[in-house]
Amino acid sequence: KQTIPPPTRHDLGGEEADDAVYARFLSVNNWDPLKAAPKLQQSFEWRKRIRPGTLRPHHCDTLCRQHAWVALLAGGSPLKISIEEEDATNGGSSNKSNNNRSRRQLPLDTPHNCLPLQSWRTTRHGLPITYFKCWMWKPNEASSEEMERHMAYHMHHLIRRMRGKVERICIIFDMRGFEGWMLPYINQAVNVLRQHYPGRAGAMCFINVPGYFHAVWKVISPWLDDEIRSKTFFASKEVDDMEKGIGFLNKMNLKIGST
């Protein structure tokens, strides 16, 4: 903290640069202050610019209307969309203008606050869960700046859902609909996680992975650091939906603390 003094909560948009933040950056840099300091400084500057704690769905409305990143509620997701609606808003119809109009009519998701009489869903370990639907994700429709805000919004959302001693997150990646053109956008999302949220990955679980994805993984894997790779799991073919994915993770011993 003498080398990199903590910014104020106001400067960081409501986030607090406490001892745990410093510890997370140190832990993924082999507890070397000289290696961690410039990365921490870069992340503080990023937070001053993005201000994750102040972001709301309307700051990234294009991506929030796609309903590709779903913060799970106990008993289900915040908004259920039928397969027909998913097809209609993601290319099932031949009329592109109708597709765009249908999507603009969808509410923004994920909502900032939990719905009444419900609670955010977690693994048995207490990790908050976000469910990613690859076939709904159209990152090419948003600007690079909105992509960055959207990832920051969801990461801050996951952190807000933590309770007790839990300091890590869970994302279930349903990879149906994956296409190669998505790789640069995946790289951008990975960079946000790796550079600004070290020590936060608790479980990155992939389900419904196409057969050729293991070759793609050889491209993606070097983008990750050892800490994130160690928290990445590929479920078997039998694990083919969200509930089975949660059951798969609930059988594992997952780390909940950041260090």
Side-chain angles (χ1 to χ4, degrees):
K1 285 189 173 182
Q2 292 178 349
T3 305
I4 309 293
T8 66
R9 289 177 64 94
H10 175 75
D11 289 340
L12 299 181
E15 292 188 317
E16 184 174 356
D18 56 15
D19 290 345
V21 171
Y22 284 78
R24 279 191 290 272
F25 275 85
L26 284 166
S27 68
V28 298
N29 288 282
N30 298 317
W31 300 97
D32 184 341
L34 295 179
K35 289 177 62 177
K39 298 176 182 179
L40 182 61
Q41 181 63 53
Q42 180 188 37
S43 188
F44 282 158
E45 295 302 320
W46 177 83
R47 282 175 158 78
K48 290 177 184 178
R49 177 172 60 87
I50 298 294
R51 298 172 65 82
T54 67
L55 294 175
R56 299 294 184 270
H58 67 267
H59 292 120
C60 35
D61 59 325
T62 300
L63 293 168
C64 281
R65 281 199 171 89
Q66 292 177 1
H67 294 252
W69 299 78
V70 180
L72 296 188
L73 287 166
S77 60
L79 178 67
K80 292 185 179 295
I81 304 176
S82 69
I83 295 298
E84 291 76 14
E85 287 174 306
E86 291 185 359
D87 288 342
T89 57
N90 287 278
S93 168
S94 61
N95 190 324
K96 187 173 182 179
S97 63
N98 286 342
N99 293 345
N100 293 336
R101 190 178 304 113
S102 297
R103 188 176 300 161
R104 285 195 299 270
Q105 293 172 352
L106 289 174
L108 298 176
D109 189 72
T110 292
H112 183 68
N113 295 312
C114 189
L115 298 182
L117 305 179
Q118 299 195 56
S119 59
W120 300 116
R121 192 168 182 184
T122 68
T123 67
R124 71 170 179 85
H125 325 79
L127 305 181
I129 308 170
T130 283
Y131 175 49
F132 170 70
K133 299 182 288 185
C134 191
W135 69 95
M136 297 283 284
W137 192 45
K138 307 297 179 186
N140 55 316
E141 296 180 355
S143 66
S144 177
E145 292 76 14
E146 182 176 339
M147 267 282 295
E148 196 173 24
R149 291 194 301 272
H150 188 250
M151 285 304 302
Y153 172 67
H154 271 278
M155 285 303 302
H156 190 75
H157 200 288
L158 279 157
I159 292 168
R160 287 175 50 238
R161 287 185 263 151
M162 296 174 181
R163 294 292 180 268
K165 297 181 179 180
V166 175
E167 298 182 55
R168 292 179 179 267
I169 66 170
C170 170
I171 303 178
I172 297 176
F173 295 91
D174 191 329
M175 298 306 290
R176 286 176 289 174
F178 171 80
E179 297 183 39
W181 62 264
M182 296 176 175
L183 278 173
Y185 302 99
I186 292 175
N187 188 23
Q188 184 179 358
V190 165
N191 282 337
V192 171
L193 176 62
R194 183 174 57 84
Q195 295 175 7
H196 306 299
Y197 296 94
R200 288 300 195 185
M204 306 283 108
C205 179
F206 287 80
I207 66 174
N208 294 317
V209 174
Y212 62 86
F213 190 78
H214 293 286
V216 175
W217 182 248
K218 293 181 179 180
V219 176
I220 298 175
S221 183
W223 299 341
L224 310 176
D225 54 36
D226 291 340
E227 205 271 341
I228 298 177
R229 276 194 294 269
S230 69
K231 304 298 186 298
T232 300
F233 310 102
F234 290 89
S236 63
K237 291 182 179 180
E238 291 73 24
V239 181
D240 57 4
D241 64 26
M242 179 190 72
E243 291 296 336
K244 292 178 182 177
I246 296 172
F248 169 76
L249 292 172
N250 281 343
K251 295 176 183 178
M252 306 176 71
N253 292 321
L254 300 176
K255 188 175 182 179
I256 65 172
S258 61
T259 58

